[in-house]
Amino acid sequence: MTIAILTLILLGYVLIANEHLTHINKATIALFAAVLGWILFISTGTDFVMKMHGPEFAASHAAGVSQTHAVKQFIADHIFLRYGAQMGAIALYLLATMNIVSVLESDGCFEFIARWSRVRNSNHLLWILVGFTFVISANLDNLTTTVLMLMILKKLVSQSRWRMFIGSAIVIAANCGGAFTVIGDVTSLVVWGKGAVTPTNFSAALVLPALVATAIPTALIARSLPEHIDLIRPAADYRGDSLFLNRWQRIVLLVVGIGGLWFIPTFHRITLLPPFLGALCVLGVLWVLHELFNHRRITSDQPLHQTFDRRFQYLTLQTLMYFVGVYLCVSLLIETGVMRSISSWCDEWIHNIYIMCIAIGAISSVLDNIALVLTAINIYPVAESINALPSFLSPEYSQAFLQDGQYWHLIIYSGCVGGCLLPIGNVCGYALMRGEDVSNTWYIRHIMPKVFIGWMVGLAAYFALDLWLR
């Protein structure tokens, strides 16, 4: 049955990687593979339970209950419920951050980005948009940030060709910005929730590589742009309407919404409650302020105008369901013992975390990086000490799997940056393909070499920094 479940998940991964060819929604594939896999697992789960959870099952097995029924009950109550709780915590966090952005955008809190970016010099325009993308994606999920910045870009630049270049730089900045904080990417959220990293150490280790991996492709992309770009003339503001928020109200909402997310690691450290509760707290405070500031609009005959188009809601919900499906698939690989076999093979035949992480990054360019990085994260458990690992492993290699070890840093960095080698390697790239009609052929010719150079130089920066800090 292990072979059947593994074949099902691998087939799902292949179909996910070829979504641009099959035109089948990858969230649908991930959910279908996960549900079918768990049905197979619970139907024939006796061997898996005895192998992975023998003592726990023996302690919970009530007398007089058939073993088949007891195994199903144990899987439902002890195994699946645990993964469901972990998955739900991250899904709720993503929902909270998506709603935070929706509230801020509806109140015009991001209009200053378009205003400050309204410069005809192409280099200035590119670096301003990339800088804002990098900073915002460190607080919000990558897809939300990318969709927001692509919408701003479309309001500024009329020529589709230049939007393709600048949009590619935005995708790179969103992925790199999300890679150096524990709240900036769904994979870093998972590795933080696993206890493999601490927020301060994680950000300190990856901020320089992330900056390098953003700056180098951006500088190279800037050379492909003309000196000046024609901008779309903005619509004139009507200042006679007192129902719209003033500048200070928007600043307050922006500080509460974005700044409040920085408090989430501290909230988790103080209360030990899941991070999604901190995100929901920020959303609650933001909604209260939104209601107070918009009281006259709410009570007037003028409806509240939502500026986000429906594509944003569709993409975010699709990403959320895709994560649910992939997480359930990864949990199946853990419970069938496949992850343990993969880790043993890597320890024996590769035995080098840099080679492993470069391979993960390269494969992420073809296979969606969320699926691959979530799999790589769960290949190894977080080692409590070097003595807890097999004795044949070298001490230097073993240290990589301790809390705040190099493996956890590099797997996130390589997955996020390597996933930008092709637009099909990350959800932000899919948003660019749909929004600007970017093809794989164009991206390979104009963007992929630049991303590869930035990735390798950033990896070298991490290696140098790691040697210097030892």
Side-chain angles (χ1 to χ4, degrees):
M1 189 52 65
T2 301
I3 296 176
I5 293 175
L6 179 59
T7 302
L8 173 68
I9 294 175
L10 289 178
L11 179 60
Y13 280 10
V14 170
L15 291 175
I16 287 170
N18 290 281
E19 181 191 10
H20 61 293
L21 299 176
T22 63
H23 302 292
I24 301 176
N25 193 306
K26 62 182 178 181
T28 304
I29 297 170
L31 289 171
F32 180 78
V35 172
L36 184 56
W38 272 101
I39 291 174
L40 293 174
F41 181 85
I42 202 169
S43 299
T44 59
T46 302
D47 292 340
F48 298 128
V49 170
M50 293 302 180
K51 178 182 177 181
M52 305 292 291
H53 306 279
E56 295 90 343
F57 174 71
S60 64
H61 188 188
V65 179
S66 67
Q67 188 175 22
T68 302
H69 179 77
V71 167
K72 291 182 179 180
Q73 194 70 42
F74 181 84
I75 293 174
D77 294 344
H78 294 82
I79 298 177
F80 184 81
L81 195 61
R82 183 177 74 252
Y83 290 113
Q86 296 169 357
M87 174 194 66
I90 297 174
L92 283 172
Y93 182 91
L94 294 174
L95 275 176
T97 57
M98 290 170 184
N99 278 281
I100 287 172
V101 175
S102 181
V103 172
L104 293 176
E105 175 63 17
S106 68
D107 287 327
C109 296
F110 294 111
E111 289 183 0
F112 74 96
I113 298 178
R115 192 177 304 115
W116 290 358
S117 303
R118 193 166 288 282
V119 292
R120 291 194 67 237
N121 185 285
S122 61
N123 281 343
H124 294 169
L125 172 64
L126 175 66
W127 283 102
I128 290 172
L129 290 176
V130 165
F132 276 120
T133 303
F134 187 86
V135 172
I136 295 174
S137 66
N139 300 275
L140 302 172
D141 68 279
N142 300 349
L143 179 63
T144 303
T145 304
T146 301
V147 173
L148 171 67
M149 298 306 295
L150 290 179
M151 288 171 55
I152 293 174
L153 175 63
K154 209 151 197 171
K155 296 177 182 177
L156 292 172
V157 180
S158 58
Q159 297 99 324
S160 176
R161 174 176 173 78
W162 307 134
R163 288 204 307 266
M164 291 165 69
F165 279 103
I166 300 174
S168 299
I170 287 173
V171 168
I172 297 167
N175 280 280
C176 294
F180 84 94
T181 65
V182 295
I183 61 174
D185 186 83
V186 64
T187 56
S188 58
L189 271 172
V190 171
V191 81
W192 179 35
K194 186 178 180 177
V197 299
T198 54
T200 303
N201 179 277
F202 184 81
S203 295
L206 289 184
V207 62
L208 178 60
L211 280 169
V212 170
T214 303
I216 290 178
T218 302
L220 295 175
I221 289 173
R223 300 176 63 182
S224 302
L225 299 175
E227 184 177 357
H228 297 289
I229 292 179
D230 293 331
L231 300 180
I232 299 174
R233 185 183 298 273
D237 294 331
Y238 175 60
R239 303 185 181 278
D241 195 339
S242 62
L243 297 179
F244 290 99
L245 302 187
N246 59 44
R247 178 181 299 177
W248 291 108
Q249 288 173 325
R250 295 177 181 179
I251 292 175
V252 169
L253 289 175
L254 193 64
V255 170
V256 172
I258 302 298
L261 294 175
W262 278 97
F263 181 72
I264 291 176
T266 305
F267 170 87
H268 175 67
R269 185 172 63 250
I270 294 173
T271 64
L272 300 182
L273 292 171
F276 77 86
L277 284 176
L280 291 176
C281 177
V282 174
L283 177 61
V285 174
L286 184 67
W287 257 338
V288 169
L289 292 174
H290 168 78
E291 296 284 333
L292 292 175
F293 292 164
N294 287 282
H295 177 71
R296 282 185 293 179
R297 291 176 68 186
I298 294 171
T299 56
S300 70
D301 295 332
Q302 177 179 340
L304 289 174
H305 177 61
Q306 297 290 336
T307 57
F308 263 6
D309 60 28
R310 296 187 182 275
R311 287 184 304 167
F312 171 77
Q313 297 177 348
Y314 172 75
L315 287 172
T316 52
L317 287 176
Q318 174 188 334
T319 303
L320 191 61
M321 298 310 295
Y322 172 63
F323 165 76
V324 169
V326 169
Y327 196 91
L328 291 177
C329 287
V330 171
S331 64
L332 274 172
L333 295 178
I334 296 172
E335 291 302 321
T336 54
V338 172
M339 293 300 194
R340 186 179 297 176
S341 301
I342 295 175
S343 64
S344 299
W345 186 89
C346 292
D347 292 339
E348 182 177 357
W349 295 101
I350 300 179
H351 206 76
N352 186 296
I353 58 169
Y354 283 91
I355 294 176
M356 292 163 58
C357 293
I358 289 174
I360 290 294
I363 300 172
S364 292
S365 65
V366 179
L367 180 65
D368 188 278
N369 63 346
I370 293 179
L372 195 61
V373 174
L374 287 182
T375 304
I377 288 170
N378 289 283
I379 291 175
Y380 291 95
V382 183
E384 296 180 0
S385 65
I386 295 179
N387 297 330
L389 294 166
S391 58
F392 68 87
L393 301 179
S394 64
E396 184 179 359
Y397 177 76
S398 300
Q399 287 178 352
F401 304 101
L402 300 175
Q403 187 182 55
D404 292 323
Q406 299 98 320
Y407 177 79
W408 312 113
H409 299 157
L410 290 175
I411 212 69
I412 300 299
Y413 170 77
S414 290
C416 290
V417 183
C420 295
L421 289 172
L422 288 174
I424 61 173
N426 61 95
V427 292
C428 304
Y430 272 103
L432 177 66
M433 292 175 72
R434 293 173 180 175
E436 298 299 339
D437 198 25
V438 172
S439 66
N440 280 318
T441 304
W442 180 90
Y443 194 93
I444 291 171
R445 186 168 64 251
H446 295 284
I447 305 298
M448 190 175 86
K450 301 175 177 62
V451 176
F452 181 79
I453 295 171
W455 177 29
M456 289 296 106
V457 176
L459 198 61
Y462 178 88
F463 180 75
L465 186 64
D466 185 56
L467 285 178
W468 181 68
L469 292 177
R470 283 185 188 178

